[in-house]
Amino acid sequence: DAKTTQPPSMDCAEGRAANLPCNHSTISGNEYVYWYRQIHSQGPQYIIHGLKNNETNEMASLIITEDRKSSTLILPHATLRDTAVYYCIVSHLLNTGFQKLVFGTGTRLLVSP
Amino acid sequence: DSGVTQTPKHLITATGQRVTLRCSPRSGDLSVYWYQQSLDQGLQFLIQYYNGEERAKGNILERFSAQQFPDLHSELNLSSLELGDSALYFCASSGKGGGLAAYNEQFFGPGTRLTVL
């Protein structure tokens, strides 16, 4: 399974953009990059995913480098409610056609006033 | 609210006992996933079912088993419980089909907190 490397923690001021990096240098051609977050001990929440093109939705933007070895999750205007652990995951495609998500240790983002 | 429900919310039991955790997926979702989150191991994928059949297996112990019923709800059975089984157990659901739909995002329930004394 492709592994991901994330900084253990980051700080961000409220209202500013939060840029969370992720390294996934061993990613394969058919593996997607997913981002989830977990607030306190709640169930993880899906944020966004992509294969090779940049993606944007109402929550965030995902920038994937051309060689796909790294990506950045961007929260354009961080709020206090964005304080959470953010997981960057490379999906592992099984021969059944289904994917397996292997969560790492994530980045603990603290948004301060 | 993700639409995934899990019961019970909390469970306290003793070593050696057996418990059953229940999960109801979002309406229409055919895939159910189980995860275990403990303080020292992080979030670990246990097993996945799709429309009643096992599709993927992770780090699930032999003392643990799961199944998905015709109405698509799933149960995770944990037996011969040990202190180390104390954890948050999450269920997630996704997708309405296989193939490319397998890349659909997973929606997680609120979890069941299991404490083994």
Side-chain angles (χ1 to χ4, degrees):
Chain A
D1 301 351
K3 301 249 185 278
T4 61
T5 303
Q6 299 178 254
S9 63
M10 292 184 65
D11 295 322
C12 180
E14 189 178 21
R16 305 298 293 267
N19 296 278
L20 290 85
C22 180
N23 181 286
H24 33 79
S25 58
T26 59
I27 193 170
S28 298
N30 60 0
E31 292 178 324
Y32 281 65
V33 178
Y34 277 78
W35 283 83
Y36 281 75
R37 72 180 183 184
Q38 187 174 24
I39 299 172
H40 296 300
S41 295
Q42 297 177 20
Q45 177 190 23
Y46 166 82
I47 301 174
I48 199 167
H49 75 282
L51 183 62
K52 52 185 176 182
N53 298 321
N54 297 338
E55 303 287 343
T56 295
N57 63 22
E58 65 279 3
M59 287 184 69
S61 294
L62 174 61
I63 309 298
I64 302 175
T65 57
E66 195 169 338
D67 63 6
R68 303 214 318 128
K69 294 185 176 183
S70 65
S71 61
T72 301
L73 178 74
I74 301 173
L75 307 179
H77 306 286
T79 70
L80 300 180
R81 288 184 295 180
D82 292 323
T83 292
V85 177
Y86 287 77
Y87 296 99
C88 169
I89 304 155
V90 171
S91 66
H92 177 64
L93 184 61
L94 304 168
N95 56 12
T96 57
F98 289 86
Q99 61 168 332
K100 182 172 74 169
L101 300 182
V102 179
F103 286 75
T105 53
T107 294
R108 187 172 297 275
L109 176 69
L110 176 62
V111 181
S112 303
Chain B
D1 184 358
S2 66
V4 178
T5 60
Q6 290 187 248
T7 56
K9 192 170 182 179
H10 300 278
L11 195 50
I12 301 175
T13 188
T15 54
Q17 294 299 304
R18 172 190 170 94
V19 297
T20 297
L21 313 183
R22 183 188 169 104
C23 168
S24 293
R26 291 188 321 156
S27 177
D29 281 358
L30 298 177
S31 283
V32 169
Y33 310 77
W34 285 99
Y35 293 82
Q36 177 194 56
Q37 187 171 36
S38 56
L39 284 176
D40 57 346
Q41 291 289 324
L43 200 65
Q44 300 279 317
F45 167 71
L46 295 178
I47 198 163
Q48 179 210 353
Y49 279 82
Y50 172 76
N51 204 19
E53 294 188 11
E54 181 185 307
R55 290 294 188 174
K57 218 166 187 176
N59 303 319
I60 188 166
L61 300 172
E62 285 193 10
R63 300 183 286 108
F64 297 179
S65 65
Q67 54 184 326
Q68 186 179 27
F69 295 87
D71 66 352
L72 301 178
H73 91 272
S74 178
E75 292 181 355
L76 179 67
N77 300 296
L78 315 175
S79 61
S80 302
L81 285 168
E82 302 175 359
L83 296 177
D85 298 326
S86 295
L88 267 171
Y89 291 84
F90 290 106
C91 166
S93 74
S94 78
K96 293 180 172 57
L100 288 178
Y103 298 114
N104 287 353
E105 61 266 30
Q106 296 179 22
F107 295 85
F108 282 75
T112 292
R113 183 175 293 279
L114 173 66
T115 302
V116 182
L117 301 175

